[in-house]
Amino acid sequence: MHFFPYSQEMNSAGWNLPGRGTDAGANAADDGGLDVISLGRRVRHLRKAAGLTLDGLGTVVGAAPSQLSLVENGKREPKLGMLQSLARALGVSIDELLGAEPPSHRAALEIELERAQRGPLYQSLGLPTVRVSSRLSLEVLESLVGLQHELERRLDEQSATPEEARRANSEIRAEMRARNNYYSDIEAQAQDLLKAVGHDRGPLSHHVAADIAEHVGFDLHYVGDLPHSTRSVTDLKNRRIYLTQGQRADHDPRSVLLQALGHYLLGHETPRDYGDFLRQRVYTNYFAAALLMPERATVDFLKEAKAAKELAIEDIRDAFAVSYETAAHRFTNLATEHLGITTHFQKVHESGIIHKAYENDGVNFPADHTGAIEGQPVCRFWTSRAVFDVPDKFRAFNQYTDTAVGTYWCTARTERHSSGEYSLSIGVPYAHVKWFRGRDTTERSQSKCPDESCCRRPPADLSAQWAGHAWPSTRANSHLLAAMPAGAFPGVDETEVYRFLQAHAQR
């Protein structure tokens, strides 16, 4: 295939995305690390087989019984010295102690139930966890694990392409969180390109963006008949990039051009699946942002603002002549890597639904059973929801929010797009607020989510009056019920694109 259509279809991770953290022990085996749940059950099995109590084993290995209990329950990863002492005390080798095969049928069930309860599916149900102990009968264990299998099976039956999209978003978000949303290889490529065209400081103009395209060897063609499902089309055969001068205000023309170049310069090939398509979108959007806001200049700006305790997203926006959203995204790229600040970002529709998000600061975003947060409603007490009711739309709105996992300070503002009004918010844990302008705000809220009594269940007095007497007609968007468009580039009519290229090639 010899074209790169830049689709107008906007998916939830369509910039530089990562949800919600999981327990360290829940997915350790999947990540190639130590499976602390399996290890704990094996230690317990071997201890009981040796006729030892926790106190007795603690005396032998020189550890407190409470520490050993945490190890057996899969809540603490023992150090190498402890592993060696445990192996000697239990009469097995290290390899046997770390073996993947559960020591018994019961242990296998306990391990599976423990993993399930720490996973996003179980957490999304809002159910209390069951303490997995020897007092739990084998029949109850088998029933609980069986129910988990059946629930997963039924959910998998619904895994049409919308489900696939949510899983893909969760996967790319996990990747981004693991890297603190910083991609050094893409930064280096962007820096080399800027150096080649002689741009170092200040906003990147349309003229310099065109110079970049020329340096790479592409001609720019502005046309009035660009396929309706695309923002740009790249003709790799004739090395042309087709754009339209009628771009909506939603999209910065410089960014559209740089994203199109990114596909080529990052060596992208035709997407194999939706996850590949999404990952390419993330990387090209990151690439464009790294050109619009060069790493060296942006980091210098941020460090100066941090030293003055005047960090503010609107200042970044103004300094580099980009949108507030682009400035917020770029802040998440650089904040942890260069400033040591963990953070989270949200783009929330006026309906309260998450459109895009990222976090590496432990904030408890709502999530479905796959771990995906796109399409989930945000607590109405969070800054990203409260800002819609603020009459002053010119300045940023700042608020502290006490949550179940800590206090966060967030700054937010709203912007109107063709698809409605959205809030854009950047937040940090309380420990980092001292670096930001707006930290002196007196606005404060409390969120008890995911407790349903917080904001998902109507107040008792209203329910008493209206429960059973209301029948709202839901505004159901048809795209939520349909499968994702088929094809290598979801949402793109390839026939329309090919006809467009053929017509312009002949001209």
Side-chain angles (χ1 to χ4, degrees), residues 20-37 77 115 118 120 170-171 173-179:
R20 201 163 82 173
T22 57
D23 190 286
N27 300 311
D30 296 335
D31 296 334
L34 180 62
D35 186 345
V36 293
I37 298 176
E77 179 177 332
R115 284 179 181 160
R118 298 187 191 186
S170 298
E171 290 172 3
R173 184 175 301 104
E175 174 188 310
M176 295 170 67
R177 188 190 309 113
R179 303 184 64 152

Side-chain angles (χ1 to χ4, degrees), residues 288-343:
L291 290 170
L292 289 168
M293 306 178 68
E295 180 178 20
R296 188 181 308 154
T298 308
V299 169
D300 288 347
F301 182 89
L302 291 173
K303 286 184 175 179
E304 184 176 342
K306 182 185 178 186
K309 296 185 177 180
E310 282 288 310
L311 281 172
I313 303 302
E314 54 266 36
D315 289 356
I316 308 170
R317 172 200 62 190
D318 297 341
F320 293 93
V322 295
S323 69
Y324 188 89
E325 183 174 354
T326 298
H329 292 170
R330 191 64 173 139
F331 179 79
T332 68
N333 296 151
L334 305 173
T336 306
E337 179 70 18
H338 292 286
L339 306 181
I341 296 175
T342 55
T343 185

